[in-house]
Amino acid sequence: MSLFKTGRKLNEKGNRKRTHAPSKSKNNAAKLAERDDETIDSDEELEKEARGHQGSRLQHVDTSLALETGQDKRIRLAKQYLRLHADEQKLADDDNEPDLQLRVAQSLKESFLSDTGRVHRPLADKYTGFLADQILPLRFKRQRLSPTCICLSADDAALYVGCKSGLIVRWDLSARKRTAVHCTENKIIRAITVSQDNRYLAVADGTEQIKVHNGTTLVQLNSLQGHSAPVTGLVFRQDTLELYSAGEDGTVKVWNLDEMAYIHTLFGHQSHVSGIDALSLGRIVTSGGMDKSLRVWKVAEETQLIYDLLKEDYSAVKFISNDLFVSGSIEGSVCLWSCRKKKPLRRIAVAHGQQDVGHPNWISAVAVLSNSDVVASGSCDGFVRIWKLTNNRRSIEPLMNIPVVGFVNAIEFTCDGRFLIVAVGQEHRLGRWWTLREARNRVLLIPLRTE
């Protein structure tokens, strides 16, 4: 293949340099590297990613990082690792305290475990129930139809609620009052997510576009176009402005909201994507509706690991930590998964009962308290069920049931674990409709009782 430069004449053949074909050994090395990229990271790579992420809690995304290759990323993380230990040695030389090195090592260990999601918060045994007399409903008169999605700010200060009437409402949880309202021309709000610094609120309003709003005033700032079918899920990568979106076109797209730019597309699902979630590492977990699969994606390498042994229609999925995630299916099962195994660690069939024989209540929402042993699931059986992880987080067992009249569309834990937020809709159940008096379209703020 000949090379051409701007302004070069066609008859200047003598100035052209020959190109040599790559050697056989280089081709073999390239094939081996390509085969390695198809696998999930080892523990060493997870540790390197975590150390590289340790100092990256910034409000802006470096666009150059989004374009780097896998080899460039490994080199960058190795340099950061060397600089980290150089700084640690310098501190030890400057301070004569005998326990300085021990304190620095302990601090680094805690930061590493926190960033990799290996900090285990054993909170399940501290819960003794819920305070039924202190449940607070959050209602807005214009929000007549069912709330469909909710999201919390990172500091638990603001709650965002989207509904079928196209309204987005921002609530101040400390004052228990409404602070902002935005209407999206009577379109159904299917998903919302807010950035770590509350600058941007991304909204999927039932169209192929992603609307970007101001996180405080809810004023629309931009519109991101790229999906060929309605967007079904949105999530920010923790501590960054990197946005992941999923749609009915079966694709997952990566966006940079610092530049309001599209980065790339991840292909793999054969049907619409029903759920999506992400934590601090550059990984995404998605659930396919009709293709009966769960997928964990490595964003930088654009590779994926497929979980499709159960053949269930997964409706919701959430990361518990960077190694564990939980799923809910239309067949009514709740499953606990490990990123390193293709079979679930524990599967609870018909977790919310069944309407009649052979017709289980499908799991419409799942929620987790990050890096802990507490999981929640919702359906149409009139209860939100809280589960706890046992056996070194390798199994799951019932913890408590919270009665909720209506259809549970979304669940969220506050970051401190003190409250459970439930979006309840007025939906069809067991062959009849809930009356308006029995189940109003509302969001419930449920305080959990601890020891």
Side-chain angles (χ1 to χ4, degrees), residues 274-313:
S274 57
I276 185 171
D277 195 32
L279 289 180
S280 57
L281 296 183
R283 294 193 177 188
I284 311 171
V285 61
T286 56
S287 59
M290 301 303 294
D291 67 358
K292 303 180 184 299
S293 70
L294 296 167
R295 296 169 190 254
V296 174
W297 307 77
K298 291 169 57 179
V299 177
E301 288 80 6
E302 300 184 30
T303 58
Q304 56 185 299
L305 186 63
I306 305 173
Y307 304 80
D308 57 357
L309 296 180
L310 289 185
K311 302 300 181 182
E312 294 187 355
D313 297 333

Side-chain angles (χ1 to χ4, degrees), residues 257-273:
L257 289 200
D258 193 30
E259 301 293 336
M260 294 294 174
Y262 160 83
I263 299 179
H264 60 260
T265 302
L266 304 174
F267 296 95
H269 279 290
Q270 304 302 313
S271 178
H272 71 277
V273 184

Side-chain angles (χ1 to χ4, degrees), residues 15-36:
N15 293 331
R16 298 180 181 175
K17 294 183 180 181
R18 296 194 175 199
T19 59
H20 298 279
S23 63
K24 186 175 181 180
S25 61
K26 291 183 178 180
N27 289 335
N28 293 335
K31 290 180 180 179
L32 290 174
E34 181 177 330
R35 194 188 331 171
D36 290 340

Side-chain angles (χ1 to χ4, degrees), residues 105-123:
Q106 183 66 23
S107 176
L108 291 175
K109 180 180 179 181
E110 291 176 357
S111 299
F112 163 70
L113 292 176
S114 177
D115 291 336
T116 56
R118 297 181 182 179
V119 174
H120 175 47
R121 298 188 291 167
L123 301 177

